[in-house]
Amino acid sequence: DTAVSQTPKYLVTQMGNDKSIKCEQNLGHDTMYWYKQDSKKFLKIMFSYNNKELIINETVPNRFSPKSPDKAHLNLHINSLELGDSAVYFCASSQGPGTGVNGYTFGSGTRLTVV
Amino acid sequence: GENVEQHPSTLSVQEGDSAVIKCTYSDSASNYFPWYKQELGKRPQLIIDIRSNVGEKKDQRIAVTLNKTAKHFSLHITETQPEDSAVYFCAASRANFGNEKLTFGTGTRLTIIP
């Protein structure tokens, strides 16, 4: 029973298209994140939601829009895709701020290739 | 914001030898330091973590040490095995500050030579 699941696992699309990645966690965690891992393996945070509320919004182009319909789901929508958006996008969840339990559980990643 | 530097970027060790990966952080308020292992094509997985009130923590063949004064922490893997080959990431965060995020180091590709 997968703890943090992302769909799709692979996504190949043309420049200018709009696409979405979905993430769901069944751990009962309060906080969810999106991280981007580039070709050099660098992991950089994009967004964080705590109980459906946006708490971290790093310097990310506004073509990227997260949505959290409930605390178990965090989706990422990307408009007008560019070549530089090609990367692996990881969803993660954690117990949340102030709980004293800080480890992240990552999803299996979505490899986005923009052609 | 927090900045985490990690060295070396690549490391090759003979099977059975020890491997050490070092990280430094910039934010003196950071108090939570996890290490993640990422195998090829897989997700990062937490292997060990340490909090700022502890200087060392061990779990079988892996150990982490923390020097708060110098703002650096290290991962030690003893008796390395081929399955230890992976990319390892250190990270730091201000746990319990209400706006926590993990800032990751740039990763170390560890190769165990049989």
Side-chain angles (χ1 to χ4, degrees):
Chain A
D1 199 20
T2 306
V4 181
S5 58
Q6 285 179 239
T7 54
K9 193 167 172 62
Y10 300 97
L11 187 51
V12 181
T13 187
Q14 290 190 319
M15 278 176 54
N17 283 351
D18 303 339
K19 290 293 177 187
S20 292
I21 306 171
K22 295 187 175 182
C23 180
E24 176 182 1
Q25 55 97 1
N26 62 6
L27 297 166
H29 287 168
D30 286 336
T31 306
M32 297 183 73
Y33 311 82
W34 279 112
Y35 274 79
K36 178 180 180 181
Q37 187 170 46
D38 61 23
S39 57
K40 294 185 178 178
K41 298 293 186 186
F42 186 53
L43 275 162
K44 186 168 169 51
I45 190 166
M46 301 172 70
F47 302 103
S48 169
Y49 271 74
N50 181 257
N51 254 319
K52 301 192 298 177
E53 188 180 334
L54 180 67
I55 56 171
I56 295 173
N57 185 351
E58 292 292 293
T59 309
V60 176
N62 57 15
R63 297 182 295 103
F64 290 79
S65 52
K67 276 211 175 91
S68 182
D70 55 61
K71 74 172 195 175
H73 295 84
L74 179 61
N75 304 322
L76 183 65
H77 188 76
I78 316 169
N79 288 328
S80 304
L81 278 155
E82 300 177 358
L83 293 176
D85 297 332
S86 295
V88 180
Y89 292 84
F90 283 101
C91 175
S93 72
S94 72
Q95 201 83 321
T99 61
V101 181
N102 305 101
Y104 284 13
T105 301
F106 281 89
S108 55
T110 296
R111 182 175 294 278
L112 171 65
T113 304
V114 182
V115 297
Chain B
E2 175 66 276
N3 182 45
V4 178
E5 295 192 358
Q6 183 171 347
H7 299 281
S9 57
T10 60
L11 179 61
S12 295
V13 301
Q14 210 70 38
E15 183 179 351
D17 287 350
S18 295
V20 180
I21 302 170
K22 298 182 179 182
C23 288
T24 60
Y25 61 98
S26 60
D27 185 354
S28 55
S30 286
N31 56 10
Y32 175 67
F33 308 93
W35 287 86
Y36 285 81
K37 176 183 180 182
Q38 186 178 26
E39 296 175 357
L40 189 62
K42 301 266 180 81
R43 74 192 77 194
Q45 292 199 292
L46 179 69
I47 55 171
I48 194 167
D49 57 12
I50 191 167
R51 298 182 188 279
S52 57
N53 57 349
V54 174
E56 184 176 358
K57 185 176 177 181
K58 275 185 183 177
D59 183 2
Q60 299 182 333
R61 295 187 298 107
I62 59 172
V64 57
T65 57
L66 171 66
N67 183 327
K68 276 194 68 179
T69 306
K71 290 192 279 189
H72 67 69
F73 56 114
S74 302
L75 177 72
H76 304 252
I77 307 174
T78 58
E79 299 171 22
T80 53
Q81 300 168 3
E83 53 265 36
D84 294 330
S85 293
V87 178
Y88 290 81
F89 292 95
C90 62
S93 79
R94 296 176 163 203
N96 301 326
F97 274 71
N99 189 20
E100 298 154 13
K101 64 178 181 183
L102 282 178
T103 299
F104 285 86
T106 48
T108 296
R109 185 177 298 278
L110 174 64
T111 303
I112 307 302
I113 305 164

